Amino acid sequence: MPIPEISLFPVGNGDMTLLRTGDGQHLLIDCNIRSSADDPDDSTLDVASELKDRLPTDSYGRKYVDAFLLSHPDEDHCRGVQNHFHLGAPKSDIGDKILIRELWSSPIIFRRKSKNHPLCKDAIALASEARRRVKKFRDEGLGGCEDGNRILVLGEDEDGKTDDLAEILVKLDACITSINGAHDSTFSATLLGPLPSDTDEESEALSKNRSSTILSVRLNNGDARAQLLLGGDAGVEVWKRLWGRASLGALDYDFLLCPHHCSWRSLSFDSWSELGEQAKPDSDAVNALSQARDGAVLVASSKPIEDDDSDPPCVRAEREYESIANRVSGEFVCIGDDDAAVTEFEVGALGLRRKVKHARTRGMGAQPLPHG
Amino acid sequence: MRSRSLMADADTTRALEALRQHPHVDASTIQVEKRTDGTTDVFASIRVCLPVKFSKRGFGARGVQALEPVRFRFPSSYPLGPPVITLRKDFDQNLPHVQPRPGEVRPEPCLVDGSVDELFFAGGLATLVDQLAQWLTLAASDELVSAASGWEPARRDRNESLLFFDSSAARTLAEEQCNTTFVPMGYVELPKDIGGTFKAELVIQRVAIKNRACTTPHFKQGDPAGTGLGVICTPSPDQTQNRYVPDTVADFAELKSYAHALGCGESFDRAIRVLTRHARPSGAERRLLSVVLAVRRPFNLRDSDSDLELLCYFLRLASKGFSDSLPVLPATHRDPPNTALLARVSGLQGGDPSPYSVLGCGSLGSKLALHLSRAGQPPVQVIDSAPWTPHNAARHALLPAEEESFLNKATLLAWQLRKALLCRTEGVDADATRLLLEDNTPLKPVSVLVNATASLRVRHALAGTQQLAGARVIETALYDGGSSGVMLTEGPDRNPSTLDLLAELYALAESMPLLREALKRSKHTSVDVGAGCSTSTMRMSDARLSIQAAAMAEGLLRVIPQGALPETGQLDVFQTNDHGLTRSTTNVSASLLVTPENAPEWKIHVSHDSHMAIESESKGDSNENGGILMGLLSEAAKQVVVSRTLAAPSDSTRSPTRFTLGTRNRDQSIRSASESYANGLTWVGTWHSHPKGGDPSQLDHETCGHLAKQTAGQVAILLIWTPSGYRALLADPGRLSGDEHQ
């Protein structure tokens, strides 16, 4: 039985998080593979290779993720998808690209995003891949959904557009316990967002507030478990509403991916660059993001945080998260502080812990051992 | 000396730098202390990845701290050896993966499943610290044993005696009996000067304790060896022991309490009651008793498929029985070399093996049998009629003692396999041909018969025998001083047969010049082995023969352990060269079997290749067509193997009703073809087609008669292609009447 793991790739202000479950399934949440990371002459960590090193290979020799979730279609969450993942009907030879066995996609997020902003080319490609997979399901049912064709639709779309997709639809507050069609006894994920909008005003407000898929993921290792709160770039309005509607314990976490790369805009309606220390956090949003358990780890997937007026990452948000961490003797970690390596956590027999980091030796440690 | 000390300083500085830069070393805590004995102590604290929920209190399970102080003791010879890494004195010692170090107060973590020296040389000091951080991190989560890594056997700080028994048999007994089982034991007491402990072996078969023959030792005080008794104590139902506790049992009272703590108390007490009642020693008798506690663990033991841990002890009973202070010696269990253990060590997965026997226990046969037996795949029988003679020592797998020389080779080989590897192989001292053709009762049924006799007689006997009851033959043979070796694996239902495969080998030689030359060169020479005595053998070194035998054994290990015989015939050619050995494999399809209409006791084997050639020349042609057949004859097996076809001579004539084989260059082309087939294939007959089908014609019968007179006493065939299949006639000089002979 593999030990559940969380791998956070250093991708600057962007997200790229790989979860490995205790059943050995791999769920990749977002990806931001910059051209500098693909450039062998650039010192930026080659995160695509780091990702592939952690992925299994199927009988056709294809690297694969069991599921890929796009939290929302911003470029810093899907950059490099076309270059590094196979999109389109699955085939046995996909070169060195990665097969997405099951795509987790939220139509409402695409809709809200594209209402106000043009989609980047990787997001367009993913939207088209999602449509291809949904069509395949509509045409052939679950029977047509083998590896590379499966899709899970997160959240109901507006105007009943997803009403005929019951078998592949995850409704708000529902719990996902299967990945790529296989029940995973070590994994569950509750869908906390995107939140629905009853009125046009609500819809407008959420559109402007960086709607994201929000998951509360549980990784189990025997009796031990770790609760992860993953909210993409969700903004303050979303967290405020979540605090208002979430049931008791639904927002508890051992691990928080601080939304929007440690942005002040997820904690406050005020502008940090304009108001500075006068900016006030929204108490509901802060509450929503403060449900840390003892020793919780709060991670900013961002560049190193400077004491200036930039946002994200925002030093004021860092202070807020550090204070949450301090209250539970936890830890605030900025991925950008060590961008030469993947930051990793694992779920041991007594719960979440950091994974041991190996010394960076020059290729030693891997000498073939002979036998005499 | 000065330069040495400078070197040492540079080495130390480099090591300190490696520690300083390690992500899990708190550089601010590093302290160095040079010692008078030349070693250097470096103290440093290691950052441990505590479970986050314990961050507040600052320590994890077993009191492991977020910053663990450790000591690296660098030997004066560093970097020729790694530092010894020890933990603080009050570190919990009741942890698995702690090195047994009697008298040492600082526990030493066992960092690697293998040699720390090797790990150090493979990865350097940093890799040791990687492992140390990992070890401490797992300790802090109480995860040094886990289902993933398997249960770690209880650590003992003194382990001197050895107890051999078949652990899988003992576990089966423990699972089935759920009780206390007594088993017989034989042992030797090792002399005091090498430790004065025991080496014993349990025979896992239940004995009744009331039988005094079993319980009364033949051993008297002062004897170095004797028989004793073993007792296997089983866990009470629902007794699973989750807690790892090192085994420090030293006397009977401790053993009893340990047995109770581990869930075997009920069974242990019963054993002691029975022994006290029935097996009280008297006078000078001092009975040796071994106790095996079968302890149920929450998951399988490391590298094992069982969750029963077997903890073994020796007790030496005195006449006063079981007093609390009776000394108890821990014993290390070892499996005798059973086939399952051998297969495991050889890296073979469990499967449904094909039972097989080996015909021929010469150099090649003995080595094949030994290679396979060492991989846990012993033959059912080994068969040979020849005795061992001293010249066999040059290459044979066995090196018998002087008094065993001149014994039968099969008997010797089987005896060695049984004794050293605990196989059940039977040696059969018999002539293989007689077994195959006359009385097969000594042969046990098998799926595969490996023919390593290199005997043409046996080859032909195997081709002709009906006695194999479904077994397929795999023939192994060496040619040309071992430069070439072949392995012929028959197809399902023995089709293609070894003769078919042999013919295919010769045909292959046409396109493999090295093989062709080796086959042509291959011959036996007479070697003088004593006054007035010589033997006919092939000159080659043991090393050369062993390369071939090892490659062939590997080939056999690909099919025998899994019962995965190929679905076609298979022809493997092994060729040694300056760079080692190459193997080329050819799959050979089944032959078409045709019975001559005038000789139903004969069989014609038409190879797939010949059939395709004949069919392509015949199908769709309204004229009769024909050509020459090359192959092998076996009078003994009453078989004609057709392997290849040659084109008809240019003066042949064709019409819709008649084909006449010409003679222009006929003999030359046959000779030249035969040459290209390493002289292995010869002319065996002719073929022609009947495009409209029908029986062999009167003319065919007449031709057959003529042919029989011209073949120098050998048979030849007339093979006739028809749209509905082959027909055949055998031109057999043996069937000519007296008049015809003249």
Side-chain angles (χ1 to χ4, degrees), chain B residues 267-348:
Chain B
S267 174
F268 179 82
D269 289 348
R270 187 181 307 117
I272 301 305
R273 272 201 308 278
V274 172
L275 283 167
T276 309
R277 194 177 324 130
H278 293 288
R280 182 170 299 150
S282 59
E285 289 178 356
R286 295 192 310 156
R287 178 166 305 122
L288 190 69
L289 176 70
S290 65
V291 174
V292 179
L293 301 180
V295 182
R296 177 83 62 203
R297 296 304 186 183
F299 38 81
N300 287 353
L301 274 81
R302 185 157 56 88
D303 301 327
S304 162
D305 53 6
S306 169
D307 61 1
L308 277 181
E309 181 177 5
L310 302 171
L311 295 165
C312 311
Y313 308 87
F314 284 115
L315 290 77
R316 203 181 218 170
L317 284 183
S319 53
K320 56 185 174 183
F322 298 98
S323 68
D324 280 356
S325 60
L326 184 71
V328 172
L329 287 174
T332 300
H333 164 256
R334 287 280 179 272
D335 262 306
N338 59 56
T339 51
L341 173 73
L342 296 171
R344 265 202 313 277
V345 174
S346 303
L348 296 178

Side-chain angles (χ1 to χ4, degrees), chain B residues 164-166 201 334-343 345 373-374 376 417-423:
Chain B
F164 286 83
F165 60 89
D166 179 348
E201 180 162 355
R334 287 280 179 272
D335 262 306
N338 59 56
T339 51
L341 173 73
L342 296 171
V345 174
S373 300
R374 283 185 149 149
L417 295 179
R418 292 166 77 98
K419 191 177 73 162
L421 301 178
L422 301 190
C423 302

Side-chain angles (χ1 to χ4, degrees), chain B residues 125-171:
Chain B
L125 181 60
T127 305
L128 292 190
V129 184
D130 290 349
Q131 287 293 111
L132 175 63
Q134 183 70 30
W135 191 97
L136 288 166
T137 293
L138 290 174
S141 282
D142 217 353
E143 245 179 306
L144 283 171
V145 285
S146 67
S149 61
W151 186 268
E152 178 71 10
R155 186 184 82 245
R156 284 151 159 190
D157 294 345
R158 51 185 192 130
N159 245 345
E160 291 149 343
S161 297
L162 283 175
L163 186 61
F164 286 83
F165 60 89
D166 179 348
S167 57
S168 56
R171 287 188 171 114

Side-chain angles (χ1 to χ4, degrees), chain B residues 659-673:
Chain B
F659 169 78
T660 308
L661 190 73
T663 55
R664 189 177 296 152
N665 288 330
R666 184 191 62 191
D667 294 350
Q668 291 93 313
S669 70
I670 290 174
R671 251 199 315 279
S672 131

Side-chain angles (χ1 to χ4, degrees), chain A residues 235-261:
Chain A
V236 60
E237 176 75 22
V238 177
W239 295 107
K240 182 182 171 70
R241 285 173 190 237
L242 258 180
W243 180 244
R245 70 181 296 280
S247 57
L248 189 67
L251 296 171
D252 290 3
Y253 63 83
D254 300 296
F255 176 100
L256 171 72
L257 194 57
C258 300
H260 197 202
H261 329 297

